[in-house]
DNA sequence: CGACTTTGACCGGCGC
DNA sequence: GCGCCGGTCAAAGTCG
């Protein structure tokens, strides 16, 4: 009945519902801008990662993995970790937003709680600020025009970044995004745009910026994980090029169809096999 | 009219 | 302690 009527995420992380976030092509940014290099410090064995994700989703233990992954994310700048994580460890917990923290919930009856359950979700929840009361004691209740939830430490969600060669900054990925900010980044002539999933129950965010090294390369960093289907998203269907992208990665050398598919949907010149391209 | 983008300001973390 | 910088907010503007 209603448990899978489209809007609500299925009870649990079914492979077709919670997208393993796009595709973190393991691209070591060449000389990378410090702002992103940390993200790229991870070198996933994406093949395994994807498999792990799909297979592991249904396992009850993924909760722990999520937390673990979250920790990994926080260790970001540890080069020693690069290439050390096995995909199953690092990606299986790709979970983020909708589960972060406590997880999942899966709340068969309603997905709403899922979001709120995350104590660390300080940044978002803008939709329904429960009570930012934390006033932190510093600010007078006098309406600080821009009062933020203080006192709460911002814990980042697991992030995945990938580079795509494209002329457009904002690539279609099957989800609707609302831009909530743009900032000039240091060491880069290009601004960085901040997007948030328009789904009120979803706190996934993504940053989009162009590589200062190669302006044709768009660096997209996802934070969190969708807990809903993309727009017009047929269950299990790949409409999202990033998802397709993922599929492509699973068969980097034997999926000509996917390549064609991508080409059809997205005229831009996407670099699918960046492992090769960037490796040069 | 609602949804989305733009943009300036604010806040917190971090390095010096 | 101070300043820089990334990230976010929210008012105003734009568009369909």
């Amino acid at each position: 009945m209603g448990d899978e009527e489209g809007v609500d995420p299925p009870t649990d992380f079914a492979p077709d519902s919670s997208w393993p976030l796009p595709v973190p092509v393991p691209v070591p940014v060449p000389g990378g801008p410090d702002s992103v290099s940390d993200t790229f410090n991870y070198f996933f064995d994406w093949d395994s990662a994807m498999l792990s994700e799909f297979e592991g989703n249904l396992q009850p233990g993924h909760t722990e993995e999520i937390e673990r992954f979250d920790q990994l994310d926080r260790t970001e700048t540890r080069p020693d970790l690069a290439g050390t994580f096995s995909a199953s460890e690092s990606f299986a917990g790709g979970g983020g937003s909708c589960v972060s923290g406590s997880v999942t919930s899966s709340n068969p009856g309603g997905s709403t709680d899922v979001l709120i359950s995350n104590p660390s979700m300080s940044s978002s929840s803008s939709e329904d600020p429960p009570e930012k009361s934390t006033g932190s004691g510093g600010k007078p209740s006098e309406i600080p025009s821009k009062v933020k939830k203080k006192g709460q430490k911002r814990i980042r969600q697991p992030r995945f970044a990938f580079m795509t060669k494209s002329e457009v900054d904002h690539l279609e990925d099957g989800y609707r995004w609302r831009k909530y900010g743009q900032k000039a980044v240091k060491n880069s002539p290009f601004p960085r745009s901040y997007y948030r999933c328009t789904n009120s129950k979803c706190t996934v965010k993504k940053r989009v910026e162009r590589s200062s090294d190669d302006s044709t390369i768009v660096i997209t960093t996802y934070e969190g994980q969708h807990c809903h289907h993309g727009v017009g998203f047929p269950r299990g269907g790949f409409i999202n090029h990033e998802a397709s992208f993922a599929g492509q990665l699973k068969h980097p050398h034997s999926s000509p169809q996917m390549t064609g598919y991508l080409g059809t949907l997205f005229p831009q010149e996407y670099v699918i096999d960046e492992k090769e391209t960037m490796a040069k």
Side-chain angles (χ1 to χ4, degrees):
Chain A
M1 286 225 242
D3 62 335
E4 48 185 37
E5 282 297 306
V7 185
D8 276 347
T11 25
D12 208 332
F13 289 106
D16 61 339
S17 65
S18 60
W19 286 93
L21 278 214
V23 177
V25 176
V27 200
V29 177
D34 54 300
S35 51
V36 294
S37 60
D38 58 339
T39 301
F40 289 105
N41 271 338
Y42 299 127
F43 292 81
F44 298 92
D45 173 346
W46 209 247
D47 269 12
S48 305
M50 294 302 295
L51 293 174
S52 296
E53 168 69 2
F54 286 117
E55 295 174 359
N57 271 336
L58 302 178
Q59 296 178 8
H62 77 274
T63 296
E64 297 175 284
E65 293 177 323
I66 289 172
E67 293 181 351
R68 200 187 323 162
F69 184 67
D70 190 39
Q71 290 184 333
L72 292 178
D73 185 63
R74 278 178 250 157
T75 58
E76 313 186 281
T77 44
R78 294 183 53 187
D80 53 306
L81 294 179
T84 301
F85 303 147
S86 69
S88 57
E89 274 196 352
S90 49
F91 184 68
S97 330
C98 296
V99 291
S100 37
S102 14
V103 178
T104 47
S105 57
S106 24
N107 197 2
S111 52
T112 329
D113 295 339
V114 184
L115 286 180
I116 308 175
S117 65
N118 178 17
S120 61
M121 203 133 264
S122 55
S123 50
S124 335
S125 61
S126 53
E127 309 289 350
D128 188 3
E131 240 12 84
K132 51 185 62 183
S133 54
T134 53
S136 68
K139 260 314 196 218
S141 41
E142 239 343 313
I143 321 131
S145 45
K146 309 207 166 167
V147 63
K148 273 191 178 176
K149 309 126 202 194
K150 293 184 180 175
Q152 290 186 19
K153 205 164 186 180
R154 185 163 63 205
I155 297 179
R156 294 176 190 281
Q157 308 265 333
R159 290 182 290 175
F160 300 104
F162 62 95
M163 301 168 81
T164 305
K165 187 161 191 171
S166 171
E167 294 177 359
V168 297
D169 290 340
H170 194 191
L171 309 175
E172 290 299 325
D173 60 5
Y175 290 94
R176 294 187 67 79
W177 300 91
R178 176 178 300 180
K179 187 174 185 177
Y180 67 89
Q182 177 172 309
K183 287 278 292 187
V185 291
K186 202 155 188 252
N187 298 325
S188 175
F190 308 102
R192 174 183 296 160
S193 296
Y194 298 88
Y195 297 87
R196 172 177 296 147
C197 183
T198 57
N199 187 313
S200 60
K201 295 178 183 176
C202 183
T203 58
V204 176
K205 285 177 274 192
K206 81 172 178 181
R207 290 182 297 226
V208 177
E209 64 191 294
R210 285 194 175 278
S211 169
S212 59
D213 221 38
D214 183 345
S215 63
T216 63
I217 299 220
V218 177
I219 301 173
T220 305
T221 304
Y222 284 80
E223 187 171 326
Q225 184 170 18
H226 293 285
C227 58
H228 59 96
H229 296 298
V231 293
F233 202 144
R235 278 176 74 85
F238 278 70
I239 124 174
N240 135 358
H241 88 273
E242 284 163 354
S244 301
F245 201 177
Q248 173 74 12
L249 286 177
K250 291 177 68 175
H251 308 287
H253 300 294
S254 57
S255 292
Q257 293 181 323
M258 290 306 282
T259 305
Y261 183 36
L262 289 170
T264 299
L265 285 177
F266 307 94
Q268 284 81 23
E269 179 186 2
Y270 294 112
V271 173
I272 303 304
D273 193 345
E274 292 173 343
K275 278 186 179 178
E276 291 183 352
T277 304
M278 300 313 236
K280 289 178 182 178

